[in-house]
Amino acid sequence: MSAPPVYLDAATAAPMHPVARQALLAALDDGWADPGKLYTQARRARQLLDAAREATALTLGVRADEVSFTPSGTTAAHGAVLGGLAGRRRFGSTLVHSAIEHSAVLHAAERHVGAGGTAAAVPVDRLGRLDLTAWSTAVRAPGVALAALITASHEVGTVQPVAEAAAACADVGVPLYVDAAQSVGRVPLPAGWSVLTASAHKWGGPPGVGLLAVRKGTRWESPWPADERESGRTPGVVNLPAVVAAAASLRAAAADAAAEAARLADLVDRVRERVAAEVPDVEVVGDPVLRLPHLVTFSCLYVDGEALLHALDRRGFAVSSGSSCTSSTLRPSHVLEAMGVLSHGNVRVSLHRETTEADVERFLTELPGIVAGLRAEAGVVGL
Amino acid sequence: MPDEVIDCRGQRCPLPVIAAARRMPEVPVGTVVRVLADDPAAAVDIPAWCRMRGQEFLGSVNGPDGPAYDVRRTH
């Protein structure tokens, strides 16, 4: 009999929170009408949407009219970058961003550069932490329209010095966009940002709901064709049942966040220590202290990342990898590249509210044998 | 100039790193081995391997044979 599957890829998508499931089912009955219309069914939908927005704003610590729901975290990130640049085009056309932003942010940056704009990537150190000196210099350059910084690396967990980076931006009047996809619903949000995005399926909400928050007074202009919905920030009718579920699960996740963060941080500490001690020739990457509570990444020397993912999957473990052989582009993770750490044999383990100590123990018990087996097959033992 | 060249063109990571790791103990200390590798991951992984193994990474060159990485055996 095989052991039950252990899902360890919450940083991609967390299993749906039971509160999300309940809210989704209830809203399917009550929230199907277009909230923009004037009849009874639409008013009911509007009430649900308003309540979802109020609850989400409360959790984020912003005003309700600063929050828009988007069709995904990716669209939110695209809108944040392109809208932030559009709103400040009178001041310049340069986007400053860290070298370890999510690919959604980098793809928006590529679009901007393709349209004649410029982008400047700021490096990180070996632990994946932003070079603040280089950041301050970059945002001070003439013609900077927007700066983008991930709150904490989605690949290695290192928390970024957002408050300091925001202060450098504020000094020169450059708005700061933060991608908070790995932080919202898990850890307190940093201060000083002008635009923020997140993604519901990272906190246990349904897939297909993103958050775009634009603080009052921020020069931000929608990069999309005009549409009056969601304060004009994102076109199209929202998937209201999913939005309701996203808001309900965010409130539930935020209520438990401190306790969950403490519990998961202990489990991640255990993974960091045991993997380093029990798997030979492994590099555990990311800041050991200033890190997300739920995420840990390591690379196994001489091991093919794709083979490792498949071997783990056969034993019931679902994990992610930044190795090139696991990406469609055949390039290694730009995050690992920017840090200068080993990119092959890479595994990212990310935990969630259903992850138990027993799950982590089973993973830690089986991993050394799985890695040893792959190394024996490849004939690299003792190299 | 390198003392010898290992041709890993067409090989995907971690194969170029493994090839370098296999060759290194066979050459005298001080030897510079050039690894030709067109897999983009080699640019990250060969320097990282040098750091983990305490060998000296001398840098990368991009010549007529494509990207190449020079490593000196230090121990």
Side-chain angles (χ1 to χ4, degrees):
Chain A
M1 198 189 85
S2 64
V6 174
Y7 182 80
L8 299 172
D9 195 18
T12 296
M16 211 185 287
H17 196 291
V19 162
R21 174 179 293 273
Q22 288 164 13
L24 182 65
L25 291 174
L28 284 172
D29 288 331
D30 252 359
W32 49 267
D34 184 337
K37 300 297 180 182
L38 297 176
Y39 35 75
T40 306
Q41 296 86 341
R43 280 200 298 276
R44 177 65 190 134
R46 167 60 63 184
Q47 283 169 355
L48 289 174
L49 180 57
D50 289 347
R53 198 183 315 281
E54 291 284 350
T56 301
L58 197 64
T59 303
L60 297 181
V62 300
R63 293 164 43 144
D65 60 359
E66 294 173 329
V67 175
S68 297
F69 296 106
T70 67
S72 67
T74 298
T75 17
H78 290 169
V81 171
L82 298 176
L85 290 165
R88 294 247 311 156
R89 64 177 153 245
R90 282 201 295 124
F91 301 90
S93 65
T94 299
L95 170 70
V96 171
H97 63 84
S98 83
I100 59 161
E101 293 303 299
H102 190 277
S103 56
V105 172
L106 298 182
H107 288 149
E110 284 165 19
R111 165 62 63 94
H112 174 64
V113 171
T118 54
V122 176
V124 296
D125 65 14
R126 181 70 44 78
L127 293 176
R129 193 172 159 88
L130 183 74
D131 180 339
L132 269 172
T133 309
W135 174 271
S136 300
T137 306
V139 297
R140 270 171 205 287
V144 175
L146 181 71
L149 179 60
I150 195 164
T151 52
S153 171
H154 60 300
E155 288 203 28
V156 302
T158 302
V159 169
Q160 299 305 312
V162 175
E164 295 88 335
C169 289
D171 279 349
V172 286
V174 170
L176 175 66
Y177 155 52
V178 294
D179 165 8
Q182 295 299 336
S183 299
V184 168
R186 291 189 182 274
V187 293
L189 292 177
W193 52 269
S194 296
V195 182
L196 172 145
T197 62
S199 179
H201 70 155
K202 314 288 190 193
W203 70 64
V209 179
L211 291 184
L212 169 63
V214 179
R215 300 313 303 268
K216 279 278 168 249
T218 304
R219 290 179 192 274
W220 186 93
E221 187 179 299
S222 173
W224 316 119
D227 191 294
E228 74 279 11
R229 299 180 185 94
E230 295 300 299
S231 303
R233 294 191 194 108
T234 177
V237 70
V238 297
N239 179 350
L240 183 54
V243 164
V244 169
S249 55
L250 176 57
R251 188 163 48 188
D256 294 341
E260 268 299 276
R263 185 181 78 87
L264 298 182
D266 280 350
L267 291 176
V268 164
D269 275 339
R270 192 185 301 191
V271 174
R272 292 187 72 95
E273 285 159 23
R274 292 265 299 276
V275 166
E278 294 172 18
V279 180
D281 288 329
V282 74
E283 189 165 47
V284 181
V285 302
D287 196 303
V289 180
L290 296 172
R291 61 170 175 80
L292 287 166
H294 65 295
L295 191 160
V296 52
T297 304
F298 53 86
S299 296
C300 305
L301 193 59
Y302 307 137
V303 174
D304 179 280
E306 188 177 6
L308 181 53
L309 249 60
H310 288 312
L312 286 166
D313 184 50
R314 281 195 295 278
R315 299 296 307 154
F317 300 107
V319 299
S320 189
S321 173
S323 295
S324 53
C325 44
T326 65
S327 84
S328 55
T329 58
L330 295 179
R331 289 196 67 85
S333 145
H334 66 277
V335 175
L336 301 176
E337 197 172 5
M339 293 165 65
V341 296
L342 201 64
S343 79
H344 66 248
N346 179 258
V347 168
R348 180 187 71 181
V349 170
S350 51
L351 315 181
H352 51 90
R353 55 183 294 282
E354 293 175 17
T355 306
T356 65
E357 184 180 1
D359 292 340
V360 171
E361 271 303 317
R362 186 159 86 77
F363 176 77
L364 290 172
T365 304
E366 296 205 23
L367 179 72
I370 291 170
V371 173
L374 290 170
R375 284 179 173 152
E377 270 174 42
V380 296
V381 176
L383 276 188
Chain B
M1 282 306 290
D3 300 302
E4 68 168 77
V5 175
I6 315 175
D7 189 351
C8 297
R9 285 174 293 178
Q11 296 179 11
R12 283 173 44 191
C13 260
L15 296 177
V17 175
I18 292 171
R22 283 222 168 90
R23 185 64 187 138
M24 211 48 65
E26 300 167 355
V27 301
V29 169
T31 302
V32 174
V33 174
R34 173 167 291 181
V35 184
L36 293 178
D38 48 15
D39 184 310
V44 185
D45 288 354
I46 290 174
W49 177 84
C50 290
R51 178 168 50 73
M52 290 172 81
R53 282 290 186 259
Q55 303 295 355
E56 187 181 1
F57 179 68
L58 298 174
S60 57
V61 286
N62 205 343
D65 297 325
Y69 307 90
D70 289 348
V71 178
R72 179 184 281 129
R73 182 177 175 189
T74 55
H75 63 87

